[in-house]
Amino acid sequence: MESQESQDAADGTDLQRAFICASFNQDTTSLSVGTKTGYRLFSVTAVDKLDCIHEGVECPDVYIVERLFSSSLVVVVSLSMPRRMNVYHFKKGTEICNYSYSNNILSVRLNRQRLVVCLEESVYIHNIKDMKLLKTLLNTPTNPTGLCALSVNHSNSYLAYPGSATIGEITVYDANNLSTLTLIQAHDSPLAALTFNGSGTKLASASEKGTVIRVFSVPEGQRLFEFRRGMKRYVSISSLSFSADAQFLCASSNTETVHIFKLEQHSPSQDEESPTWSAYMGKMFTAASTYLPTQVSDMMHQDRAFATVRLNMFGLKNISALATIQKLPRLLVASSDGCLYIYNVDPQDGGECVLIQKHRLFDSSEEQVEQKEEENPEDVSPEPASQSYAATVALPSTPPSSTTLMGYSEEGGAQKGEVIPEHEFAEGPVCLDDENEFPPFGNQSN
């Protein structure tokens, strides 16, 4: 028994070495994982099986990997070139383009209209149809984690990012019309997490303290809900995620608990119709709160978790998301222990969620091979440089150049190389379900 436990622990250590990052796509049907050897894309549309639909080895040590819905477009950033973003058409095995920036890329967000790249003190907004740089937001407040959120609803494409480095102020920006919408004073301490609901009408936030989670209306910025995650200790919130219907919001952190909150308004008429003891006490507390200090009054109006998950881990990086899989609500947790956990969620009564499936994202055997390669690097011959996408499609009429784009500056700009004639661009909107969805509009080498 002890030998089995020690073997599991050893396997877990190997998996943590391989796991660098993870992200769910915009509709939580796919999981992207960055590894030491590249990246992997998984389909998460079933409970009992986890299909690896693609494994990319174009570049090692991938710390950012984002897939656009269920399309073949995937964005990758490697630790070996942290200032360069590569955009691939993984089904065709080709690079669509790449961009280089003045500093390390900290996060990338995308929807069907926009692609956003976040650096520590600047934000770049691209048109996803042709990857042109539309807007550069320079001298943004220091954002060391690259915190930002982009609405997956491309009809509004709202972008949220910290408006201050010292307090929890949120800047909400319209990435379609390229203008600032509003500033929201969300928390007293700096921000730690942001997310929009599917329609882009609600924005959830958490601060570095991690005790309170707030939900605001967009674009008005009015506070709609306030949830208390806990009081005993400050935690680091690693992810926030709405359910597809925006009725629930989950929050994961560096602790062993994932909280799920229910977004429901408590109307006075409901309390009058059911004069229970709890309703009576609620009215008493509400009346008493008017005579209490503001901090105590706010605490009495904060809702607690509707449902929770107890993870068998503590201190490991993880992200969580709410999804409907096989017509039932589920909570997905991808952890740096190299596993995906799937839980059932009771939408009526909440409570403790039940673990129904655990999937390994890697096989322990392949990790052992990887370890041997690390131990004997001299035995591994360097791979030949892959042929550029521009060379593959052969465009002799377009010589390489180092073009300065609109919005580029020496202090913080994006550079691309080759310029493809306008007739090479798609004339209509991107067709995400078609194999010709992203035509070859060039390799942007530097």
Side-chain angles (χ1 to χ4, degrees):
M1 184 68 179
E2 292 180 359
S3 61
Q4 180 61 43
E5 291 178 352
S6 61
Q7 180 61 44
D8 290 343
D11 289 346
T13 303
D14 291 341
L15 295 172
Q16 289 177 47
R17 290 194 188 103
F19 185 103
I20 298 178
C21 70
S23 67
F24 292 102
N25 68 340
Q26 294 80 1
D27 56 5
T28 325
T29 57
S30 175
L31 171 67
S32 306
V33 177
T35 71
K36 292 183 70 64
T37 57
Y39 66 93
R40 290 184 176 185
L41 305 177
F42 297 91
S43 172
V44 289
T45 55
V47 170
D48 295 332
K49 63 178 182 176
L50 183 68
D51 293 328
C52 181
I53 56 179
H54 179 72
E55 182 170 3
V57 293
E58 295 88 353
C59 50
D61 299 321
V62 171
Y63 72 97
I64 294 176
V65 54
E66 298 284 343
R67 184 184 182 189
L68 179 62
F69 288 91
S70 296
S71 75
S72 55
L73 185 146
V74 62
V75 179
V76 175
V77 183
S78 167
L79 287 170
S80 61
M81 292 183 289
R83 298 184 177 190
R84 175 165 149 168
M85 173 187 70
N86 298 87
V87 184
Y88 295 109
H89 190 302
F90 74 83
K91 291 180 182 177
K92 295 180 179 178
T94 56
E95 180 184 74
I96 296 174
C97 65
N98 64 66
Y99 267 81
S100 292
Y101 302 85
S102 62
N103 213 328
N104 290 355
I105 300 170
L106 300 179
S107 64
V108 177
R109 300 289 182 264
L110 56 163
N111 64 22
R112 289 186 172 97
Q113 193 76 16
R114 297 288 181 258
L115 185 149
V116 175
V117 178
C118 185
L119 278 57
E120 186 168 359
E121 294 184 344
S122 54
V123 177
Y124 299 85
I125 301 173
H126 295 263
N127 179 19
I128 205 165
K129 188 183 79 169
D130 53 21
M131 284 306 300
K132 284 186 176 179
L133 181 62
L134 301 176
K135 185 72 174 180
T136 305
L137 304 175
L138 295 175
N139 302 316
T140 56
T142 302
N143 185 7
T145 62
L147 176 63
C148 67
L150 178 67
S151 166
V152 302
N153 181 5
H154 62 279
S155 64
N156 53 49
S157 294
Y158 294 147
L159 171 67
Y161 59 91
S164 168
T166 56
I167 61 172
E169 181 181 85
I170 307 171
T171 298
V172 181
Y173 188 87
D174 185 339
N176 281 349
N177 296 310
L178 306 177
S179 60
T180 300
L181 280 178
T182 186
L183 297 177
I184 302 174
Q185 307 301 321
H187 303 270
D188 293 332
S189 28
L191 298 168
L194 292 168
T195 191
F196 286 98
N197 68 331
S199 62
T201 57
K202 293 182 177 68
L203 173 64
S205 66
S207 73
E208 288 181 351
K209 290 183 178 180
T211 54
V212 175
I213 296 165
R214 295 188 171 108
V215 178
F216 301 89
S217 64
V218 180
E220 300 82 9
Q222 178 184 355
R223 189 165 75 186
L224 302 176
F225 301 94
E226 186 167 273
F227 304 107
R228 177 159 289 274
R229 193 212 57 81
M231 296 175 61
K232 295 180 181 179
R233 54 183 173 176
Y234 292 163
V235 301
S236 176
I237 300 291
S238 56
S239 69
L240 292 172
S241 176
F242 282 97
S243 60
D245 59 5
Q247 294 300 304
F248 298 95
L249 173 69
C250 69
S252 61
S253 66
N254 59 339
T255 70
E256 69 281 4
T257 307
V258 179
H259 296 80
I260 301 175
F261 304 97
K262 191 170 186 178
L263 282 68
E264 57 181 352
Q265 298 285 0
H266 302 288
S267 63
S269 59
Q270 290 178 338
D271 294 337
E272 293 174 4
E273 291 173 3
S274 54
T276 61
W277 174 253
S278 60
Y280 173 75
M281 291 302 295
K283 289 183 179 180
M284 293 292 291
F285 276 120
T286 301
S289 66
T290 59
Y291 302 98
L292 296 172
T294 303
Q295 289 183 330
V296 179
S297 176
D298 288 346
M299 193 179 301
M300 293 175 65
H301 285 89
Q302 291 165 350
D303 289 333
R304 299 305 179 99
F306 171 75
T308 56
V309 165
R310 304 290 177 184
L311 305 174
N312 294 324
M313 66 192 82
F314 180 85
L316 295 181
K317 291 193 303 181
N318 66 78
I319 59 168
S320 62
L322 292 162
T324 300
I325 301 178
Q326 295 169 321
K327 300 182 180 180
L328 293 175
R330 323 280 189 178
L331 176 74
L332 309 178
V333 180
S335 169
S336 59
D337 67 357
C339 294
L340 173 68
Y341 300 86
I342 303 179
Y343 296 83
N344 272 343
V345 179
D346 186 335
Q348 300 300 322
D349 299 325
E352 187 76 17
C353 299
V354 178
L355 176 65
I356 56 172
Q357 193 61 255
K358 173 184 175 181
H359 294 290
R360 282 180 172 245
L361 302 174
F362 311 96
D363 294 329
S364 57
S365 58
E366 62 187 289
E367 297 310 318
Q368 292 171 6
V369 171
E370 184 179 321
Q371 273 190 290
K372 289 180 181 178
E373 291 178 350
E374 291 178 352
E375 292 169 2
N376 303 289
E378 66 277 2
D379 296 336
V380 181
S381 57
E383 293 184 5
S386 58
Q387 189 178 23
S388 70
Y389 189 64
T392 303
V393 296
L395 294 169
S397 61
T398 311
S401 61
S402 182
T403 303
T404 299
L405 298 178
M406 177 184 65
Y408 173 77
S409 73
E410 292 299 323
E411 295 77 22
Q415 284 186 311
K416 69 173 185 177
E418 296 182 10
V419 180
I420 304 302
E422 286 295 323
H423 64 80
E424 294 287 342
F425 295 140
E427 295 180 359
V430 174
C431 180
L432 296 171
D433 297 321
D434 192 286
E435 268 302 308
N436 299 317
E437 53 201 20
F438 292 102
F441 47 77
N443 175 47
Q444 327 277 353
S445 57
N446 299 286

